[in-house]
Amino acid sequence: MGRSPSSDDSNLKKGPWTPEEDQKLIDYINKNGCGSWRALPKLAGLNRCGKSCRLRWTNYLRPDIKRGKFSEDEERLIINLHSVLGNKWSRIATHLPGRTDNEIKNFWNTHIRKKLLQMGIDPTTHKPRTDLNHLLSLSQLLFAPQISNLISLNSLDTALKLQADHAAQLAKIQLLLQIINTNTLLPNIDSTAAAAALLRSQNLQPFDAQASGISNNQTPLPPSNSSAINENSKAYFDMRNKSLSGSSDVEAGNSLPALVSESPETCTNDNNQGETQANTNDSSIFEAWQKFMDDEPSGTYWKDVLDLTPSSPSPVSW
DNA sequence: AAAAGGGTCAACCGCAACCGC
DNA sequence: AGCGGTTGCGGTTGACCCTTT
């Protein structure tokens, strides 16, 4: 393995580049091209290692570099590409002319990552978060109606209360789905079918399901209404939707993964077979849930949900 | 006004892939 | 095939700047 060129010479300058150094590098490359980065510093009269020169040129001095804020389109594209490629910054950068891998990496770590976390989406997997902190924040939402009831005695705006109720409902569903998806408590449950049954029982709109992280469809649905979670998730799906329809330069075969992966039962090669299996699993799902709820001392909410018997399941599509 | 804390981003480091001998 | 040199990549660091207290 070749030794690092910068590690063997302590006399070489490190740290921020001065305008004079920049000018020397630009002048040299304009005259002679890049050539060998190892030889370049000496030839250009720079007391830097070749690696440092290459980095300075590719990330900062190159004439075709686009500087300034990332546009919304670029942001959408980065999120989409990241969901397909992961932390392959250089590969992502090839889809954004004028942007460097370093710039995209920084933008991801400082902006997008945080944004996704706030939306309740894991920036690594692009799926709803399952970490403890997030579940704790969901649990806070669960109590939103009770809190708003207390405040409503002091004339809380009705719209705010509705929003709190709605947020709590979404939190419940997301929590349920996360429990199912972690496959620790109920390993045999088909999450997609369970979600469908839950939707039926709650008379939820399709987007409400998506805001909660329920999806068995590659293409997100159009957004609908309000509440903090709803708006955030809506923005995320909207972003990915736009990018899906607008970006054709992602290599074939790299279709975007579903936010919540399909359960093994529904991921068969034969689509019909998968669908049938999901339907026939409906009753066993409810049996399992019923048992789960029976074990829960005060799970009245979940009981309410599940007591709506699945005797005549209507097809749910979203 | 000053200190503390947090955010941003250029630059560095170490590793791995690539290439030529 | 094996070795050494070079380049590219991704993670991390630290200086600088802005905001908050």
Side-chain angles (χ1 to χ4, degrees), chain A residues 204-224:
Chain A
L204 284 175
Q205 297 302 309
F207 182 73
D208 289 328
Q210 290 216 337
S212 314
I214 304 167
S215 166
N216 66 350
N217 193 331
Q218 294 279 31
T219 310
L221 290 163
S224 62

Side-chain angles (χ1 to χ4, degrees), chain A residues 57-298:
Chain A
W57 176 256
T58 54
N59 284 342
Y60 202 84
L61 298 175
R62 240 171 48 199
D64 57 331
I65 279 183
K66 191 204 281 185
R67 307 211 67 82
K69 280 195 148 187
F70 281 79
S71 68
E72 268 189 43
D73 283 342
E74 286 177 313
E75 190 175 333
R76 275 194 290 272
L77 188 54
I78 291 169
I79 292 173
N80 242 345
L81 289 166
H82 187 273
S83 72
V84 175
L85 302 169
N87 291 3
K88 301 290 175 195
W89 306 117
S90 60
R91 288 192 64 195
I92 292 172
T94 61
H95 294 278
L96 289 113
R99 300 293 189 183
T100 67
D101 52 355
N102 204 37
E103 201 179 4
I104 293 168
K105 180 174 59 182
N106 282 334
F107 183 60
W108 177 270
N109 287 328
T110 56
H111 291 93
I112 302 177
R113 204 173 162 278
K114 240 174 277 173
K115 218 172 183 176
L116 294 183
L117 284 170
Q118 279 172 0
M119 291 179 186
I121 292 158
D122 187 323
T124 312
T125 61
H126 292 257
K127 292 178 184 177
R129 292 168 65 189
T130 55
D131 59 279
L132 192 60
N133 285 339
H134 181 56
L135 290 176
L136 279 173
S137 67
L138 282 177
S139 71
Q140 287 171 356
L141 281 173
L142 294 178
F143 292 101
Q146 285 91 318
I147 293 166
S148 71
N149 276 337
L150 287 174
I151 304 169
S152 69
L153 296 171
N154 299 322
S155 75
L156 175 77
D157 182 48
T158 313
L160 281 177
K161 188 183 178 313
L162 283 173
Q163 282 198 359
D165 290 345
H166 190 61
Q169 193 179 35
L170 291 171
K172 284 168 184 169
I173 292 164
Q174 194 172 355
L175 195 56
L176 164 65
L177 263 291
Q178 288 179 358
I179 290 167
I180 292 171
N181 280 321
T182 53
N183 265 353
T184 51
L185 291 174
L186 300 157
N188 296 323
I189 281 191
D190 173 356
S191 62
T192 308
L198 188 67
L199 267 185
R200 283 198 297 277
S201 70
Q202 293 292 284
N203 292 323
L204 284 175
Q205 297 302 309
F207 182 73
D208 289 328
Q210 290 216 337
S212 314
I214 304 167
S215 166
N216 66 350
N217 193 331
Q218 294 279 31
T219 310
L221 290 163
S224 62
N225 51 10
S226 62
S227 98
I229 286 184
N230 209 350
E231 281 302 317
N232 282 338
S233 306
K234 180 174 144 186
Y236 178 76
F237 286 105
D238 193 35
M239 247 189 228
R240 288 189 49 164
N241 240 353
K242 281 189 190 170
S243 201
L244 262 177
S245 56
S247 162
S248 59
D249 54 353
V250 180
E251 45 268 68
N254 276 337
S255 61
L256 293 170
L259 283 175
V260 177
S261 56
E262 290 179 302
S263 61
E265 288 83 356
T266 55
C267 284
T268 56
N269 289 333
D270 184 341
N271 287 338
N272 293 332
Q273 188 188 337
E275 209 172 297
T276 312
Q277 194 162 0
N279 285 337
T280 54
N281 277 347
D282 242 18
S283 59
S284 59
I285 291 158
F286 274 86
E287 279 166 21
W289 266 104
Q290 201 74 49
K291 186 177 183 313
F292 176 54
M293 287 301 118
D294 286 341
D295 293 342
E296 192 192 32
S298 59

